[in-house]
Amino acid sequence: MIFSLFLILQLACNDDVKIKSSNEFLTVTLHLNEKHQTISGFGASDAWSTQFVGSNWPMSKKTQIADWLFSLATDNENNPLGIGLTSWRFNLGAGSAYQGVSSNIEDEWRRAESFLNLDGSFNPQAHTGQRWFLNAAKERGVNQFIAFVNSPPIFLTKNGKAYSSGGSSANITSENYSKFSTMLIRALDEIKNSHGISFRYLSPFNEPQWDWNGAGQEGSPWNNIEMSAMLKILNNDLVASSHINTLIEIPEAAQLNFLYSGDLNSGRDDQVDAFFNPSNTSTYIGNISRVTKKVAGHSYFTTWPLTNFVETRSKLNQKLGEYSTLGFEMTEYCPLENNADIVGNGRDLGMDLALYGARVMHV
């Protein structure tokens, strides 16, 4: 309740509510029985640092990190030992780590392993560091796991790299969609058999609107037609693997307005209608069984100024209202931008950033 009060006060101040003197008070009424939002999880991603921390750091230090992230326990004075994350995202990498400097990704922390080796063979030992944290999350009560993909494995990409050379289409040919799907199914199976963890969702694309033609990290563009074709193959393979109950989560839009606007990036925007309106016959996937009936998007570059913040979310809500069974999840955000309220780079433990982040999550 105190947290909500701080949040409401912050919102009120940004709406130019003025307190004239110390003798005047702002009255805040909390209607606890009125539900406006359901939050399905509070989570984070293991990209990129856990691959090194989980493999190389001393047990005492990585155990402390895991407690801080996942623990729901309290100490003798009833202070929480951790922030109690309820969901954890697992990066199914493309294998740029195996290429080293020849991957062209200069920052080795942005390279990742893959369940496919350079020769295309399956490597069941991959992602050792990430798997340590996956187990640590499970042991501390996390019950929602999401496997996500930034780029198809380098063995399958057009240019043999984990980033795109062209930028206008997926860095994988349609002939390799089936191999990509097979790799994803085997990865889910490996984690389930080795760790007893079933991923609730599989997210096969990440921010498909960006061209990803720089070597800053692993990434691949996808247009809506390519995504639809890949999803149909992946769906059939998941259905055939009846022991795997994982659902597919899409489209991980790079910005929220890519979900509802058709004027931003031709062929890669207007994704709610593209995927869930039956009249869009070349991209419609609303009738395939393993695609979860929701859309996933990222909140980058839509949080400032406040007029843009509110307008973007209002338009998305209006679009989702056209589809009675369609939900929404914000699946990624961190404060990248600098504005009048926050500085995106660096470390900030202050309340200004905390309230800013709370507003992004709750509005």
Side-chain angles (χ1 to χ4, degrees):
M1 188 178 298
I2 293 173
F3 173 78
S4 298
L5 178 60
F6 274 123
L7 179 60
I8 294 168
L9 286 173
Q10 174 74 1
L11 292 173
C13 290
N14 284 324
D15 285 335
D16 295 326
V17 175
K18 305 298 183 182
I19 305 300
K20 295 182 180 180
S21 74
S22 59
N23 294 324
E24 297 186 23
F25 298 91
L26 175 65
T27 299
V28 177
T29 302
L30 301 179
H31 299 281
L32 299 180
N33 295 323
E34 294 183 14
K35 182 184 293 186
H36 296 279
Q37 183 184 37
T38 298
I39 297 178
S40 61
F42 175 50
S45 165
D46 71 1
W48 305 86
S49 56
T50 59
Q51 60 182 324
F52 295 108
V53 175
S55 295
N56 304 317
W57 283 33
M59 182 64 70
S60 59
K61 290 189 175 182
K62 59 188 183 183
T63 298
Q64 177 65 84
I65 293 171
D67 285 342
W68 283 334
L69 289 171
F70 309 120
S71 180
L72 293 170
T74 56
D75 64 16
N76 294 333
E77 297 180 351
N78 211 33
N79 297 309
L81 298 180
I83 60 175
L85 295 181
T86 64
S87 63
W88 187 242
R89 292 168 64 83
F90 184 93
N91 178 21
L92 291 173
S96 57
Y98 304 146
Q99 295 176 315
V101 294
S102 65
S103 69
N104 297 335
I105 298 175
E106 293 184 5
D107 185 352
E108 64 177 316
W109 287 69
R110 291 298 183 100
R111 304 170 196 156
E113 298 178 32
S114 173
F115 277 109
L116 281 191
N117 293 315
L118 294 176
D119 62 359
S121 59
F122 189 80
N123 176 14
Q125 306 304 319
H127 300 296
T128 301
Q130 294 169 242
R131 288 161 82 161
W132 188 92
F133 274 93
L134 195 68
N135 278 324
K138 176 188 175 186
E139 291 168 357
R140 288 160 178 80
V142 176
N143 58 14
Q144 180 171 259
F145 296 96
I146 302 99
F148 74 98
V149 179
N150 288 318
S151 163
I154 52 179
F155 175 75
L156 301 176
T157 58
K158 294 176 181 177
N159 59 0
K161 302 293 183 182
Y163 62 92
S164 174
S165 296
S168 60
S169 62
N171 190 22
I172 181 174
T173 63
S174 58
E175 290 77 15
N176 279 334
Y177 288 177
S178 182
K179 292 180 181 178
F180 184 25
S181 177
T182 298
M183 169 265 174
L184 293 173
I185 301 296
R186 290 195 66 182
L188 298 178
D189 210 30
E190 166 61 27
I191 295 295
K192 183 176 182 179
N193 291 335
S194 297
H195 306 285
I197 293 175
S198 295
F199 287 102
R200 183 174 298 183
Y201 300 117
L202 169 62
S203 176
F205 318 107
N206 178 64
E207 300 184 345
Q209 290 80 21
W210 303 147
D211 291 344
W212 297 112
N213 54 6
Q217 68 165 73
E218 295 188 345
S220 173
W222 291 81
N223 62 52
N224 294 340
I225 291 177
E226 292 169 329
M227 292 173 70
S228 176
M230 176 66 206
L231 286 168
K232 290 170 184 175
I233 293 172
L234 179 58
N235 184 81
N236 289 340
D237 288 346
L238 281 170
V239 171
S241 304
S242 57
H243 61 290
I244 297 177
N245 297 320
T246 302
L247 299 173
I248 305 170
E249 186 174 71
I250 62 166
E252 299 285 355
Q255 294 179 185
L256 298 184
N257 43 357
F258 285 122
L259 292 171
Y260 61 81
S261 176
D263 301 318
L264 298 172
N265 193 325
S266 180
R268 288 186 268 178
D269 55 9
D270 201 16
Q271 291 188 303
V272 172
D273 282 343
F275 295 127
F276 294 100
N277 188 331
S279 65
N280 293 315
T281 56
S282 62
T283 55
Y284 178 65
I285 47 80
N287 59 343
I288 63 179
S289 59
R290 289 297 186 94
V291 171
T292 183
K293 299 305 182 284
K294 64 178 180 180
V295 291
H298 300 174
S299 274
Y300 299 116
F301 313 117
T302 60
T303 62
W304 187 261
L306 284 178
T307 51
N308 180 45
F309 177 84
V310 173
E311 180 182 16
T312 300
R313 285 148 184 80
S314 296
K315 288 183 176 179
L316 175 57
N317 186 57
Q318 181 179 359
K319 173 56 66 176
L320 293 173
E322 299 174 13
Y323 299 83
S324 59
T325 61
L326 200 58
F328 167 74
E329 287 197 7
M330 186 187 76
T331 49
E332 188 174 322
Y333 176 73
C334 64
L336 295 176
E337 60 198 287
N338 299 331
N339 58 47
D341 279 357
I342 60 168
V343 176
N345 294 322
R347 186 183 187 191
D348 187 343
L349 303 179
M351 282 302 299
D352 286 344
L353 180 60
L355 290 171
Y356 191 99
R359 185 170 63 203
V360 172
M361 287 188 286
H362 283 270
V363 176

